[in-house]
Amino acid sequence: MSTWTASMFKVCDHPCPSLSHPAHHQPFFDRKSDHLLYHNRATEEPDAQGTANRRGAVQRLERRWLDCHQLRGSWIWSMRGDEAKRVCSGINLVQVPVARGKADLNLYRSAGAEVVAILASKGKCERASIDEVYLDLTDAAKEMLLQAPPDSPEGIFMEAAKSNILGLPADASEKEKNVRAWLCQSEADYQEKLLPCGAIIVAQLRVRVLEETQFTCSAGIAHNKMLAKLVSGMHKPAQQTVVPSSSVQDLLASLPVKKMKQLGGKLGSSLQDDLGVETIGDLLSFTEEKLQEQYGVNTG
């Protein structure tokens, strides 16, 4: 059984500082503020907008986000510029670089390449989109389990201890203690011991990404890509979620059918309309024969 992570870093639509000299700026993405930020690496002096460094830019844009919090209900990138200005008159909308009449994504791709280069140090990367990567951690997790398995709750470093483990007790006051204990479980079988190792490796990678690029990542860790993708966006920003095998059934039971890969379009709508299916749990109540009868052998 493999151990996969789906790591995501989000590109946002409304950068704050000027793009008038894009060659001198490096973008980075911060999910907490939902902005694409630019930092002039040539100097630590404040730029024309008063932004002295990356972290200062994050704080500055967080203040703007608080002023424009009403946009969060519909997300700024689903609005036209004139609509956004009606909702938040003080918003600063800046066009991304353009080449040959289209958005120039080279800055975004370069930023993604920085992240992938770090992730690839621990496994095989599979790019899913400009801001999403699958990483096969199986070999790295096996190596950790063989050479340095997590065996002391006190020895788990902080970022790993912040992991969200599906199925653990929901008591917030005991969360860190429960996570540390889960990461060091000794009674689990071999395959389940790979997940804690994967969670620790991903936490280490996310810290490296932040330290070396100041990009933040959210991640999902599971035994396959589908599950890793499903939970990668569950806890944001800059957090990771793990799916133990024992939690898969409960996760799918309440999952909206359109959240499942390949069921987000017409087929998902057909399931809802024809069969009254709203969740994957509802879908599992139908036999394979019934689904094949309704949608054909291959699709069913």
Side-chain angles (χ1 to χ4, degrees), residues 119-237:
L119 300 182
S121 66
K122 288 296 184 179
K124 181 180 178 181
C125 284
E126 179 183 320
R127 294 292 291 268
S129 70
I130 197 170
D131 66 352
E132 184 177 351
V133 178
Y134 292 106
L135 176 63
D136 187 349
L137 289 170
T138 307
D139 291 341
K142 287 181 177 179
E143 182 178 355
M144 176 181 284
L145 193 56
L146 178 65
Q147 298 183 0
D151 56 6
S152 169
E154 295 76 18
I156 302 298
F157 81 111
M158 182 56 69
E159 191 59 37
K162 294 178 182 177
S163 301
N164 300 281
I165 316 296
L166 298 189
L168 285 190
D171 184 359
S173 65
E174 296 289 319
K175 177 184 174 182
E176 183 179 325
K177 176 182 177 181
N178 291 334
V179 170
R180 289 179 181 274
W182 184 87
L183 290 172
C184 297
Q185 54 187 309
S186 58
E187 70 283 357
D189 62 29
Y190 180 79
Q191 295 299 338
E192 281 305 291
K193 287 182 179 179
L194 290 178
L195 279 181
C197 293
I200 293 171
I201 293 168
V202 171
Q204 292 170 341
L205 288 171
R206 290 176 45 245
V207 169
R208 277 192 60 194
V209 169
L210 183 60
E211 291 176 345
E212 297 179 26
T213 71
Q214 294 195 30
F215 303 173
T216 61
C217 301
S218 296
I221 302 100
H223 280 308
N224 61 55
K225 291 193 292 184
M226 180 196 74
L227 291 171
K229 161 67 174 173
L230 279 177
V231 301
S232 61
M234 218 175 238
H235 297 93
K236 289 188 177 183

Side-chain angles (χ1 to χ4, degrees), residues 19-287:
L19 302 183
S20 57
H21 301 289
H24 300 292
H25 291 78
Q26 172 67 39
F28 79 100
F29 312 111
D30 188 276
R31 286 295 298 134
K32 189 172 183 180
S33 56
D34 285 317
H35 285 72
L36 166 63
L37 313 179
Y38 279 77
H39 169 54
N40 190 333
R41 281 184 169 167
T43 178
E44 289 303 319
E45 293 298 319
D47 60 16
Q49 285 70 35
T51 300
N53 51 53
R54 289 181 172 187
R55 185 54 56 194
V58 173
Q59 294 169 349
R60 184 173 186 277
L61 288 175
E62 284 175 355
R63 289 196 294 271
R64 173 172 297 154
W65 169 73
L66 291 173
D67 292 338
C68 303
H69 66 277
Q70 60 265 46
L71 288 176
R72 298 282 290 189
S74 52
W75 296 102
I76 182 62
W77 47 81
S78 68
M79 290 184 178
R80 297 181 64 86
D82 53 353
E83 295 175 312
K85 287 180 179 179
R86 281 197 296 271
V87 176
C88 184
S89 59
I91 195 169
N92 181 23
L93 300 176
V94 182
Q95 183 173 330
V96 298
V98 176
R100 296 182 293 279
K102 296 182 179 181
D104 184 357
L105 300 181
N106 286 330
L107 286 173
Y108 295 72
R109 293 191 180 99
S110 296
E114 290 186 55
V115 176
V116 171
I118 295 171
L119 300 182
S121 66
K122 288 296 184 179
K124 181 180 178 181
C125 284
E126 179 183 320
R127 294 292 291 268
S129 70
I130 197 170
D131 66 352
E132 184 177 351
V133 178
Y134 292 106
L135 176 63
D136 187 349
L137 289 170
T138 307
D139 291 341
K142 287 181 177 179
E143 182 178 355
M144 176 181 284
L145 193 56
L146 178 65
Q147 298 183 0
D151 56 6
S152 169
E154 295 76 18
I156 302 298
F157 81 111
M158 182 56 69
E159 191 59 37
K162 294 178 182 177
S163 301
N164 300 281
I165 316 296
L166 298 189
L168 285 190
D171 184 359
S173 65
E174 296 289 319
K175 177 184 174 182
E176 183 179 325
K177 176 182 177 181
N178 291 334
V179 170
R180 289 179 181 274
W182 184 87
L183 290 172
C184 297
Q185 54 187 309
S186 58
E187 70 283 357
D189 62 29
Y190 180 79
Q191 295 299 338
E192 281 305 291
K193 287 182 179 179
L194 290 178
L195 279 181
C197 293
I200 293 171
I201 293 168
V202 171
Q204 292 170 341
L205 288 171
R206 290 176 45 245
V207 169
R208 277 192 60 194
V209 169
L210 183 60
E211 291 176 345
E212 297 179 26
T213 71
Q214 294 195 30
F215 303 173
T216 61
C217 301
S218 296
I221 302 100
H223 280 308
N224 61 55
K225 291 193 292 184
M226 180 196 74
L227 291 171
K229 161 67 174 173
L230 279 177
V231 301
S232 61
M234 218 175 238
H235 297 93
K236 289 188 177 183
Q239 296 187 59
Q240 62 185 54
T241 305
V242 187
V243 191
S245 296
S246 59
S247 299
V248 173
Q249 186 171 353
D250 287 341
L251 170 67
L252 296 181
S254 59
L255 185 75
V257 68
K258 288 211 161 189
K259 293 289 186 180
M260 179 68 76
K261 186 177 181 180
Q262 298 181 340
L263 296 181
K266 292 182 178 179
L267 181 55
S269 297
S270 177
L271 289 169
Q272 290 176 319
D273 296 339
D274 299 341
L275 301 179
V277 168
E278 294 297 333
T279 67
I280 298 301
D282 296 336
L283 181 60
L284 291 174
S285 67
F286 291 90
T287 64

